[in-house]
Amino acid sequence: MAKFETVVKGDFNEVVKRIEDGIINGSFTASLEESSNFKIGDALCSVRVFERYSYTGSNRVSLSVTFFQNSNSDILVSAITSGGSQGALFKINTFGEEAFLDKIKELL
Protein backbone atom coordinates (compact mmCIF):
# COMPACT_ATOMS: atom_id res chain seq x y z
CA MET A 1 0.00 0.00 0.00
CA ALA A 2 1.23 3.48 -0.85
CA LYS A 3 -0.25 6.90 -0.05
CA PHE A 4 -0.01 10.45 -1.40
CA GLU A 5 -1.79 13.43 0.11
CA THR A 6 -1.78 17.05 -0.95
CA VAL A 7 -3.77 20.27 -1.02
CA VAL A 8 -4.68 21.92 -4.34
CA LYS A 9 -6.47 25.07 -5.44
CA GLY A 10 -9.15 25.18 -8.09
CA ASP A 11 -12.74 24.36 -8.87
CA PHE A 12 -13.74 21.19 -7.00
CA ASN A 13 -15.63 19.55 -9.86
CA GLU A 14 -12.92 20.41 -12.40
CA VAL A 15 -10.19 18.88 -10.22
CA VAL A 16 -12.22 15.67 -9.76
CA LYS A 17 -12.94 15.48 -13.51
CA ARG A 18 -9.27 16.13 -14.43
CA ILE A 19 -8.12 13.26 -12.21
CA GLU A 20 -10.90 10.93 -13.36
CA ASP A 21 -10.27 11.59 -17.06
CA GLY A 22 -6.50 11.55 -16.65
CA ILE A 23 -6.45 8.16 -14.91
CA ILE A 24 -8.88 6.53 -17.34
CA ASN A 25 -7.19 7.98 -20.44
CA GLY A 26 -3.69 7.37 -19.05
CA SER A 27 -3.82 3.59 -19.37
CA PHE A 28 -5.89 1.40 -21.64
CA THR A 29 -6.36 -1.07 -18.75
CA ALA A 30 -7.56 1.60 -16.28
CA SER A 31 -11.20 1.68 -15.26
CA LEU A 32 -13.35 3.59 -12.82
CA GLU A 33 -14.74 0.86 -10.58
CA GLU A 34 -17.00 3.01 -8.39
CA SER A 35 -17.62 6.60 -7.35
CA SER A 36 -19.46 8.47 -4.63
CA ASN A 37 -20.30 12.15 -4.08
CA PHE A 38 -21.47 13.89 -0.91
CA LYS A 39 -22.53 17.44 -0.18
CA ILE A 40 -23.42 18.58 3.33
CA GLY A 41 -23.90 22.30 3.62
CA ASP A 42 -20.86 23.87 1.96
CA ALA A 43 -18.71 20.74 2.32
CA LEU A 44 -18.03 18.59 -0.75
CA CYS A 45 -16.57 15.09 -0.76
CA SER A 46 -15.96 12.80 -3.74
CA VAL A 47 -14.46 9.34 -3.73
CA ARG A 48 -13.17 7.52 -6.82
CA VAL A 49 -11.89 3.94 -6.97
CA PHE A 50 -9.85 2.99 -10.02
CA GLU A 51 -8.23 -0.25 -11.08
CA ARG A 52 -5.63 -1.06 -13.72
CA TYR A 53 -3.32 -3.84 -14.76
CA SER A 54 0.33 -3.49 -13.71
CA TYR A 55 2.65 -4.99 -16.29
CA THR A 56 5.67 -4.77 -14.00
CA GLY A 57 3.89 -6.73 -11.27
CA SER A 58 1.75 -8.88 -13.57
CA ASN A 59 -1.29 -8.11 -11.43
CA ARG A 60 -4.06 -5.56 -10.85
CA VAL A 61 -3.68 -2.43 -8.75
CA SER A 62 -6.43 -0.33 -7.21
CA LEU A 63 -6.32 3.39 -6.47
CA SER A 64 -8.77 5.14 -4.14
CA VAL A 65 -8.87 8.93 -4.36
CA THR A 66 -10.79 11.12 -1.92
CA PHE A 67 -11.40 14.81 -2.58
CA PHE A 68 -12.68 17.10 0.19
CA GLN A 69 -13.48 20.80 0.25
CA ASN A 70 -15.18 22.81 2.97
CA SER A 71 -16.83 25.99 1.66
CA ASN A 72 -14.44 27.63 -0.82
CA SER A 73 -11.26 26.44 0.88
CA ASP A 74 -8.46 24.53 -0.80
CA ILE A 75 -9.17 20.96 -1.92
CA LEU A 76 -7.70 18.13 0.12
CA VAL A 77 -6.73 15.10 -1.98
CA SER A 78 -5.84 11.70 -0.54
CA ALA A 79 -4.77 8.89 -2.89
CA ILE A 80 -4.16 5.36 -1.60
CA THR A 81 -3.15 2.36 -3.69
CA SER A 82 -3.62 -1.31 -2.92
CA GLY A 83 -2.59 -4.54 -4.59
CA GLY A 84 0.27 -4.51 -7.01
CA SER A 85 2.58 -6.65 -4.89
CA GLN A 86 3.64 -10.25 -4.96
CA GLY A 87 4.45 -12.56 -2.09
CA ALA A 88 2.41 -14.50 0.43
CA LEU A 89 3.98 -13.15 3.62
CA PHE A 90 5.87 -10.02 2.56
CA LYS A 91 5.09 -7.22 0.13
CA ILE A 92 7.51 -7.31 -2.75
CA ASN A 93 7.39 -5.61 -6.13
CA THR A 94 5.29 -2.54 -5.33
CA PHE A 95 6.22 -0.79 -8.59
CA GLY A 96 2.62 -0.85 -9.84
CA GLU A 97 1.37 1.03 -6.78
CA GLU A 98 4.04 3.72 -7.06
CA ALA A 99 3.37 4.14 -10.79
CA PHE A 100 -0.34 4.72 -10.08
CA LEU A 101 0.53 7.40 -7.52
CA ASP A 102 2.98 9.00 -9.94
CA LYS A 103 0.09 9.48 -12.37
CA ILE A 104 -1.93 11.35 -9.70
CA LYS A 105 1.07 13.58 -8.94
CA GLU A 106 1.48 14.33 -12.64
CA LEU A 107 -2.20 15.24 -13.06
CA LEU A 108 -2.26 17.53 -10.03
Side-chain angles (χ1 to χ4, degrees):
M1 200 173 306
K3 178 171 74 170
F4 170 71
E5 295 180 322
T6 191
V7 177
V8 298
K9 295 183 183 301
D11 179 79
F12 186 85
N13 293 318
E14 287 177 13
V15 170
V16 172
K17 179 115 175 85
R18 181 176 5 140
I19 295 300
E20 191 174 301
D21 291 346
I23 293 293
I24 291 171
N25 296 326
S27 170
F28 74 92
T29 65
S31 61
L32 177 62
E33 294 297 307
E34 193 57 81
S35 65
S36 183
N37 299 298
F38 299 92
K39 180 176 183 180
I40 300 174
D42 290 337
L44 301 171
C45 181
S46 288
V47 179
R48 300 293 183 269
V49 179
F50 302 94
E51 190 174 88
R52 75 171 178 82
Y53 183 74
S54 171
Y55 290 100
T56 55
S58 298
N59 52 21
R60 297 202 59 83
V61 181
S62 69
L63 170 68
S64 299
V65 186
T66 301
F67 306 86
F68 178 82
Q69 183 180 44
N70 190 13
S71 195
N72 288 322
S73 65
D74 293 342
I75 303 163
L76 306 171
V77 181
S78 177
I80 301 172
T81 60
S82 183
S85 65
Q86 297 172 339
L89 301 176
F90 301 101
K91 282 189 85 157
I92 56 173
N93 188 9
T94 59
F95 298 116
E97 292 181 28
E98 293 297 335
F100 226 168
L101 284 185
D102 288 343
K103 186 63 178 176
I104 286 282
K105 294 173 186 176
E106 173 190 318
L107 292 167
L108 291 172

